[in-house]
Amino acid sequence: MNKEASVLKTLRVPEATVTRLSIYSRFLEKLDRNGVTTVSSGEIAEGVGVSPAQVRKDLAYFGEFGTRGVGYNVKDLLRYTMKILGLDQHWNLVLVGAGNLGYALCTYSGFNKRGFSIVGVFDDDLTKIGKKINDLEVLPLEEMPRVIEKYGCRIGIIAVPARGAQEIADLMIKNGLQAILNFSPAVLNVPDYIEVRNVDLAVKLEILTFNLGFRAAQNL
């Protein structure tokens, strides 16, 4: 296994592959907790719901893993998938929007388990500023630069209505953030060097209803 080089071999990796790699890492964590030491591509495939060929193709983007006829060492493969995903380090995040969605995100324990910590939550609503979400005090937007600098944040989360999302994105970028997870339905206009991922829950539901309707039509 070409260890360090394999991690750096990232030639135009499809986003779907990165998504599956995250799923593989969770499955490997489960195996490791259960004391499993080796696993085959077939077992990974069965565990996450893809084909063995897909598992091998996804991992091949990053180098040579495993031994033919033996499989993969669970601890080694877990360590390298986590490194590829950037989860061999801790990530501090800031969040703007202390409404219901912001509250849910701040209290979601899954972030910490994967190495993400929300270290600052901000809002421009005076009725929310000063209140606490877990151990975090909701701060005014003016405090964002100080928190970003203090904790070395590179990622921000937007959980505000669409009308305010672009202004918040501009503020985040101005203060040095390099990536944004956008929960608002707004389409953000950002420079090419800024990574943006949009999470529109209504769109996800519409995909589900489309697929249900398509299946029903196929059965007619």
Side-chain angles (χ1 to χ4, degrees):
M1 183 191 300
N2 187 356
K3 295 181 178 179
E4 295 302 325
S6 70
V7 174
L8 299 175
K9 182 185 170 187
T10 56
L11 304 176
R12 302 298 299 175
V13 179
E15 191 157 321
T17 291
V18 179
T19 299
R20 286 190 294 270
L21 200 68
S22 178
I23 296 169
Y24 300 157
S25 72
R26 286 171 169 80
F27 180 68
L28 291 166
E29 281 183 324
K30 180 180 177 181
L31 294 181
D32 190 42
R33 286 196 304 269
N34 290 338
V36 178
T37 57
T38 58
V39 63
S40 68
S41 58
E43 289 167 330
I44 295 174
E46 183 177 356
V48 304
V50 299
S51 69
Q54 185 67 70
V55 173
R56 292 190 292 270
K57 180 180 178 181
D58 288 337
L59 294 177
Y61 279 103
F62 306 99
E64 301 276 334
F65 296 95
T67 304
R68 186 179 297 275
V70 176
Y72 306 98
N73 179 281
V74 170
K75 285 187 181 297
D76 285 347
L77 189 57
L78 173 59
R79 183 169 66 252
Y80 284 109
T81 55
M82 296 293 277
K83 185 168 186 176
I84 292 164
L85 291 167
L87 299 180
D88 58 338
Q89 58 181 297
H90 194 85
W91 296 88
N92 291 326
L93 321 175
V94 293
L95 180 147
V96 177
N100 292 334
L101 177 57
Y103 181 90
L105 293 170
C106 285
T107 56
Y108 174 55
S109 62
F111 285 152
N112 287 327
K113 291 177 181 177
R114 299 290 285 182
F116 301 100
S117 294
I118 296 176
V119 295
V121 56
F122 307 90
D123 208 293
D124 60 2
D125 185 340
L126 295 177
T127 66
K128 295 173 182 173
I129 293 172
K131 292 185 177 179
K132 287 219 170 176
I133 302 178
N134 282 350
D135 294 329
L136 291 173
E137 180 182 347
V138 180
L139 300 173
L141 293 173
E142 292 77 12
E143 289 288 312
M144 189 191 300
R146 178 185 64 80
V147 174
I148 289 174
E149 182 177 4
K150 178 180 179 180
Y151 292 100
C153 302
R154 295 167 61 190
I155 301 173
I157 302 175
I158 295 177
V160 303
R163 64 180 181 275
Q166 184 63 55
E167 181 181 355
I168 298 304
D170 293 343
L171 183 62
M172 287 179 167
I173 295 166
K174 178 182 177 182
N175 286 288
L177 297 188
Q178 301 167 358
I180 296 172
L181 184 62
N182 176 34
F183 280 89
S184 86
V187 177
L188 301 178
N189 181 19
V190 302
D192 291 341
Y193 63 86
I194 299 296
E195 287 288 331
V196 175
R197 290 297 175 271
N198 299 300
V199 183
D200 191 325
L201 301 179
V203 169
K204 300 299 183 184
L205 286 171
E206 288 160 12
I207 292 171
L208 290 176
T209 56
F210 169 82
N211 287 333
L212 289 174
F214 184 80
R215 289 182 185 178
Q218 293 292 100
N219 292 330
L220 292 178

